[in-house]
């Protein structure tokens, strides 16, 4: 921690002084979506899906899609550019002040994690992985993709799955889920496996069906909104009664109509010759890890990881984490798929393990393309730097870490300022000519994430460009100038 320094330039003492510790705990709103989009192109508007008109803004969006179109030509282009679904969510959420922290895609499975900008420097150790289960484990049309991260020190994991289809494969679906849990690992001391995370969300097109009931009874219950009469024959509910591992997961009440299978562009269930039975195939469940070691685990000979478990228990007592589900429902207005999207809205109550970012940074002086500029940054606590650390300049409203105007390598361009502050040089040739509201982000090569972000500041329009009749032109995403 740094004390305020009287020798610092005007304003930097207050900018770089650490924030006050949070003793009471904070509530964070999490908006989750799962949707099997059945290879359809995105709709024009996802405002209702994201509750953009709600008076309460989420802190985090997690969006899991299944059956995103992955034909050979489209998939290759999606590898080079953002796929249409990712682009839609990024372009919709960026103007609302959200940043795409991470994403992972395995053929038709896509998982996106967005955060309010204010939380980005406190989201660390971001890792992704995937598991194929389709066609002998070699084809990625079924399986799971996951994002693991630390949110203010608490380990969270989001696992988006698409499991085996058809009524008779309930046991196989559980086997696939257990296989995914067993095979996915992360480079993390606290949470090397999926079940090691303090909070795990399991969601997606899990494909569990409603068995035994006939079509007429199903339709009658749905039309009368007597959903509770169907719960006992929901396969996932049935499997939880005999599978101890599933019993660790919680789920809200299914007080919305089954989300599969619908005629396209309609709210009527399958009228084709197959007449698939309606089912709650699309689900969101969660598991809050029990921190206390069992009696068996307390035997050190049987459990060499006992010390770590005890440390985690002490950490959980000092930094509690609670979860509350505020809403669990479907959105019926979207008809592009034979599935309806399912939403889960949660409140995470947690005590932050840290209140300050690893780095604070600030744009020194006036910025324009007429002069070289300086960034001043200050490490607030020791961390492992590397030659791959860089500082990016972004327009306000940027979508993700790669959406920079320009960047500078920290180690190549830094100039010591004093014992606590460091300057980094930015060439005027890299500063946008037309100016605009911008922010600076410090990206850590070690942590593979943004660990510090400046307040927004104005880059002034180039006076030289105006006097010489130069106008800005976009070239490869960067601002260049050409004679008018």
């Amino acid at each position: 921690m740094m004390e305020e320094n009287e020798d610092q330039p005007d304003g930097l003492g207050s900018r770089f002084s650490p924030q006050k510790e949070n003793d009471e705990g904070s509530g964070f709103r999490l908006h989750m979506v799962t949707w099997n989009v059945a290879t359809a192109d995105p709709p024009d508007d996802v405002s209702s899906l994201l509750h953009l008109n709600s008076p309460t803004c989420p802190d985090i969006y997690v969006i899991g899609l299944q059956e995103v179109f992955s034909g050979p030509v489209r998939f290759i282009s999606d590898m080079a550019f953002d796929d249409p679904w990712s682009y839609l969510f990024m372009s919709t959420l960026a103007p609302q002040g959200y940043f795409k922290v991470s994403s992972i895609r395995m053929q038709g499975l896509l998982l996106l994690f967005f955060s309010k900008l204010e939380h980005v420097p406190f989201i660390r150790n971001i890792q992704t992985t995937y598991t194929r289960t389709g066609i002998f484990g070699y084809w990625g049309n079924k399986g799971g993709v996951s994002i693991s991260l630390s949110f203010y020190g608490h380990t969270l994991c989001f696992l988006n799955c698409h499991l085996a289809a058809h009524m008779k494969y309930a046991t196989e679906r559980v086997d696939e889920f257990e296989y995914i849990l067993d095979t996915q690992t992360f480079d993390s001391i606290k949470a090397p496996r999926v079940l090691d995370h303090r909070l795990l969300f399991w969601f997606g097109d899990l494909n569990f069906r409603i068995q035994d009931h006939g079509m007429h009874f199903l339709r009658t219950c749905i039309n009368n909104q007597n959903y509770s009469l169907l719960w006992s024959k929901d396969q996932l509910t049935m499997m939880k009664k005999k599978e101890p591992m599933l019993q660790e997961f919680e789920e809200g009440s299914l007080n919305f109509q089954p989300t599969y299978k619908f005629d396209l562009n309609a709210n009527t269930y399958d009228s084709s010759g197959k007449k698939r039975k309606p089912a709650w195939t699309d689900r969101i469940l969660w598991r809050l890890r029990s921190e206390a070691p069992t009696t068996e685990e307390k035997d050190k000979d049987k459990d060499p990881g006992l010390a770590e478990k005890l440390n985690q228990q002490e950490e959980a007592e000092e930094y509690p984490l609670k979860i509350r589900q505020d809403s669990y429902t479907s959105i019926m207005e979207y008809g592009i798929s034979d599935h309806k999207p399912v939403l889960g809205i949660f409140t995470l109550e947690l005590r932050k393990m840290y209140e300050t970012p690893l780095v604070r940074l600030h744009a020194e002086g006036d910025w324009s393309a007429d002069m070289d500029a300086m960034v001043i940054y200050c490490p607030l606590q020791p961390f492992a730097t590397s030659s791959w650390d860089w500082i990016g300049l972004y327009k306000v409203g940027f979508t993700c870490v790669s959406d920079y105007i320009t960047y500078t390598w920290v180690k190549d361009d830094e100039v010591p300022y004093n014992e606590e502050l460091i300057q980094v040089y930015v060439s005027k040739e890299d500063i946008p000519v037309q100016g605009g509201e911008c922010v600076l982000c410090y990206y850590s090569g070690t942590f593979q994430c943004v660990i510090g972000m400046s307040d927004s500041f104005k880059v002034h329009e180039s006076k030289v460009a105006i006097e010489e009749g130069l106008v800005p032109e976009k070239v490869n995403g960067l601002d260049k100038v050409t004679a008018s």
Side-chain angles (χ1 to χ4, degrees):
M1 297 290 185
M2 291 184 54
E3 298 296 331
E4 194 166 321
N5 191 333
E6 293 180 356
D7 295 329
Q8 292 174 359
D10 183 44
L12 289 180
S14 59
R15 288 179 185 275
F16 287 155
S17 59
Q19 300 173 7
K20 187 178 180 181
E21 289 286 335
N22 175 28
D23 297 321
E24 299 298 324
S26 302
F28 299 92
R29 193 169 177 85
L30 166 62
H31 185 112
M32 295 189 66
V33 176
T34 179
W35 191 7
N36 183 322
V37 298
T39 73
D41 287 329
D44 294 330
D45 184 26
V46 288
S47 296
S48 60
L49 187 68
L50 302 175
H51 285 190
L52 293 185
N53 297 321
S54 171
T56 306
C57 296
D59 295 276
I60 297 168
Y61 281 100
V62 176
I63 300 162
L65 305 180
Q66 307 85 41
E67 290 195 30
V68 174
F69 182 68
S70 57
V73 175
R74 171 70 71 80
F75 190 69
I76 290 172
S77 67
D78 290 350
M79 294 289 286
F81 308 100
D82 289 313
D83 65 275
W85 283 95
S86 295
Y87 179 80
L88 171 65
F89 287 116
M90 290 164 65
S91 60
T92 300
L93 288 172
Q96 307 294 323
Y98 293 92
F99 173 91
K100 190 192 79 173
V101 174
S102 183
S103 66
I104 180 172
R105 181 173 178 185
M106 181 185 73
Q107 279 186 228
L109 274 169
L110 175 64
L111 179 56
L112 302 163
F113 184 102
F114 293 87
S115 168
K116 278 185 175 178
L117 287 175
E118 65 198 73
H119 306 308
V120 169
F122 305 98
I123 302 172
R124 302 173 189 169
N125 198 27
I126 304 162
Q127 300 181 57
T128 62
T129 191
Y130 63 89
T131 302
R132 298 185 179 99
T133 60
I135 310 180
F136 308 109
Y138 291 105
W139 190 244
N141 63 319
K142 295 289 193 298
V145 294
S146 60
I147 295 175
S148 166
L149 52 83
S150 167
F151 183 73
Y152 288 98
H154 298 265
T155 55
L156 310 182
C157 185
F158 300 88
L159 174 58
N160 173 26
C161 290
H162 191 186
L163 304 180
H166 304 304
M167 180 73 72
K168 62 182 179 180
Y169 291 124
T171 300
E172 284 77 2
R173 287 188 269 278
V174 176
D175 291 342
E176 286 183 348
F177 178 48
E178 291 181 337
Y179 174 73
I180 291 169
L181 294 180
D182 288 341
T183 56
Q184 293 198 353
T185 59
F186 305 96
D187 182 16
S188 169
I189 296 175
K190 284 188 175 182
R193 299 171 65 251
V194 172
L195 292 177
D196 294 327
H197 292 76
R198 291 196 70 184
L199 182 57
L200 163 64
F201 289 93
W202 171 40
F203 57 105
D205 180 0
L206 307 186
N207 253 323
F208 290 100
R209 309 303 172 98
I210 300 172
Q211 66 182 48
D212 298 334
H213 292 311
M215 183 68 79
H216 177 73
F217 182 76
L218 273 170
R219 295 282 178 97
T220 300
C221 289
I222 293 169
N223 290 337
N224 295 329
Q225 298 185 9
N226 291 327
Y227 307 128
S228 61
L229 298 178
L230 305 176
W231 294 345
S232 64
K233 296 300 181 180
D234 168 70
Q235 287 181 335
L236 181 52
T237 303
M238 297 168 70
M239 296 301 290
K240 285 184 74 172
K241 293 180 179 178
K242 60 181 182 180
E243 294 285 346
M245 182 270 298
L246 293 181
Q247 292 168 14
E248 298 178 11
F249 286 83
E250 298 183 59
E251 184 181 23
S253 297
L254 298 168
N255 286 322
F256 53 91
Q257 68 185 85
T259 52
Y260 173 84
K261 174 181 170 109
F262 287 88
D263 291 336
L264 295 182
N265 301 307
N267 286 338
T268 56
Y269 286 101
D270 186 17
S271 61
S272 71
K274 293 183 178 180
K275 286 188 167 55
R276 299 283 191 196
K277 284 186 178 180
W280 287 292
T281 56
D282 311 285
R283 313 286 278 268
I284 300 174
L285 298 92
W286 70 93
R287 173 186 180 268
L288 189 61
R289 190 187 68 200
S290 173
E291 304 293 348
T294 63
T295 303
E296 290 79 8
E297 288 175 332
K298 290 180 180 179
D299 186 337
K300 290 186 179 181
D301 294 332
K302 293 181 180 179
D303 184 7
L306 177 63
E308 179 60 28
K309 288 189 173 75
L310 291 174
N311 288 337
Q312 290 176 352
Q313 182 183 7
E314 292 175 0
E315 186 178 81
E317 291 172 353
E318 184 176 0
Y319 299 98
L321 168 64
K322 298 179 181 178
I323 179 172
R324 181 183 73 243
Q325 187 172 55
D326 301 314
S327 178
Y328 190 33
T329 189
S330 60
I331 302 292
M332 297 298 293
E333 70 183 72
Y334 294 97
I336 61 174
S337 168
D338 54 359
H339 292 250
K340 300 297 183 182
V342 169
L343 306 186
I345 297 176
F346 301 85
T347 297
L348 305 185
E349 294 283 350
L350 58 87
R351 185 182 175 201
K352 299 175 183 177
M353 296 187 189
Y354 37 77
E355 282 278 350
T356 55
L358 293 176
V359 167
R360 288 202 193 281
L361 63 164
H362 167 62
E364 171 71 353
D366 291 333
W367 278 49
S368 79
D370 297 332
M371 65 188 77
D372 297 333
M374 287 288 181
V375 180
I376 295 182
Y377 80 87
C378 167
L380 296 183
Q381 53 186 291
F383 69 93
T385 61
S386 80
S387 56
W388 300 106
D389 289 8
W390 51 272
I391 293 174
L393 176 67
Y394 296 83
K395 283 286 183 69
V396 168
F398 65 106
T399 59
C400 61
V401 72
S402 61
D403 192 19
Y404 50 77
I405 299 168
T406 188
Y407 66 89
T408 183
W409 296 106
V410 173
K411 294 295 184 183
D412 290 348
D413 298 311
E414 72 178 16
V415 180
Y417 189 77
N418 60 30
E419 292 182 356
E420 296 176 329
L421 303 179
I422 301 169
Q423 286 184 332
V424 178
Y425 164 87
V426 180
S427 171
K428 63 184 180 182
E429 281 78 17
D430 295 328
I431 298 174
V433 169
Q434 83 278 19
E437 287 295 317
C438 294
V439 296
L440 295 162
C441 294
Y442 187 115
Y443 185 88
S444 165
T446 302
F447 295 105
Q448 296 287 296
C449 63
V450 173
I451 60 172
M453 186 177 299
S454 75
D455 293 334
S456 63
F457 64 98
K458 185 173 181 60
V459 174
H460 299 284
E461 191 173 33
S462 169
K463 294 179 181 178
V464 173
I466 295 173
E467 292 171 357
E468 296 184 2
L470 300 177
V471 294
E473 177 187 0
K474 284 281 186 181
V475 179
N476 295 328
L478 299 179
D479 295 302
K480 304 295 183 182
V481 294
T482 57
S484 58

